[in-house]
Amino acid sequence: DQQVKQNSPSLSVQEGRISILNCDYTNSMFDYFLWYKKYPAEGPTFLISISSIKDKNEDGRFTVFLNKSAKHLSLHIVPSQPGDSAVYFCAASYNNNDMRFGAGTRLTVKP
Amino acid sequence: DTGVSQDPRHKITKRGQNVTFRCDPISEHNRLYWYRQTLGQGPEFLTYFQNEAQLEKSRLLSDRFSAERPKGSFSTLEIQRTEQGDSAMYLCAFPGPPETQYFGPGTRLLVL
């Protein structure tokens, strides 16, 4: 049962432009949503998160938006940099247990 | 540095062999999680510990898998009679604020 879905396996953007990564979920019990970044041969690195009681959280170039009614969240990266090229995973959890991940979106930022 | 080390980082084994992985958080955490990540997928939850107690197991954790956390600090994950389908990256994680989990570098297992 795929409770967290990332429908775009890849995204390519030009340096300096905005990257928008999308994620959908099905379980309304999730109370926290997270984005992780992963480089090859490394574990996922926590990037940014949002509580279900908020609709936006910003940290530098990264902003996460949550639309609970649509069960949709997105990660905006502005401006995108070549070093942002990685696989991005969306994750959701209830009570910080049994975190569910999407399949990931590979972001390529071209110089 | 995520504060978690995993050993070994890579393991190649033949089908049918047993393998054991270790996870060492640098500082003490009451919870510890194990995940598995296969190619093209996100991490999948396997099990978690609250101190020494194993509190939840995913249906992915077949009876060939066993995990322990004997002193509530480091943890081991053993796979008996490995199969080619066990080839994956095995990740451990511990909780951090706020409501996040921080992952170790993982152990990449290849079963031939």
Side-chain angles (χ1 to χ4, degrees):
Chain A
D1 63 340
Q2 193 133 24
Q3 298 187 33
V4 178
K5 293 183 181 179
Q6 291 176 258
N7 291 319
S8 297
S10 63
L11 174 67
S12 181
V13 300
Q14 208 66 36
E15 181 179 7
R17 298 290 187 106
I18 183 171
S19 296
I20 300 176
L21 296 97
N22 293 302
C23 178
D24 297 292
Y25 63 96
T26 57
N27 189 342
S28 57
M29 294 295 291
F30 289 137
D31 58 6
Y32 232 86
F33 303 90
L34 308 94
W35 285 95
Y36 285 83
K37 180 178 177 180
K38 188 178 185 304
Y39 295 113
E42 294 182 9
T45 302
F46 169 70
L47 195 57
I48 192 169
S49 63
I50 187 168
S51 163
S52 61
I53 62 173
K54 295 187 175 181
D55 55 18
K56 177 182 175 181
N57 187 26
E58 191 173 349
D59 183 3
R61 297 186 297 114
F62 303 91
T63 304
V64 56
F65 295 93
L66 176 63
N67 183 336
K68 283 185 66 178
S69 61
K71 293 191 174 69
H72 177 85
L73 66 153
S74 60
L75 174 68
H76 292 210
I77 306 174
V78 182
S80 301
Q81 300 173 354
D84 296 329
S85 297
V87 178
Y88 289 78
F89 291 102
C90 166
S93 70
Y94 173 65
N95 222 14
N96 203 14
N97 285 328
D98 194 0
M99 192 172 287
R100 301 297 179 104
F101 285 79
T105 297
R106 180 177 298 280
L107 173 66
T108 302
V109 181
K110 298 180 178 178
Chain B
D1 184 5
T2 60
V4 181
S5 65
Q6 291 189 245
D7 182 67
R9 293 292 309 275
H10 304 274
K11 179 72 177 179
I12 300 174
T13 191
K14 292 183 180 179
R15 189 177 51 174
Q17 298 294 305
N18 299 345
V19 293
T20 301
F21 311 138
R22 180 175 167 124
C23 170
D24 279 276
I26 291 176
S27 54
E28 290 190 5
H29 299 278
N30 56 0
R31 287 189 184 180
L32 186 148
Y33 306 85
W34 282 99
Y35 289 81
R36 179 183 76 178
Q37 184 179 10
T38 53
L39 203 61
Q41 298 297 319
E44 297 171 290
F45 171 79
L46 291 178
T47 187
Y48 92 91
F49 290 85
Q50 178 85 22
N51 300 313
E52 302 92 352
Q54 189 173 13
L55 293 189
E56 189 174 340
K57 294 183 190 180
S58 159
R59 59 180 173 78
L60 294 174
L61 214 67
S62 76
D63 55 7
R64 296 185 297 105
F65 287 70
S66 62
E68 293 183 344
R69 197 182 183 203
K71 297 182 181 178
S73 56
F74 73 92
S75 177
T76 58
L77 178 68
E78 181 183 15
I79 309 175
Q80 296 182 327
R81 306 180 303 281
T82 52
E83 300 172 357
Q84 288 183 324
D86 297 332
S87 296
M89 177 173 274
Y90 290 84
L91 297 155
C92 73
F94 64 91
E99 299 289 327
T100 60
Q101 292 182 17
Y102 293 92
F103 287 83
T107 294
R108 183 169 292 282
L109 172 67
L110 177 61
V111 181
L112 301 176

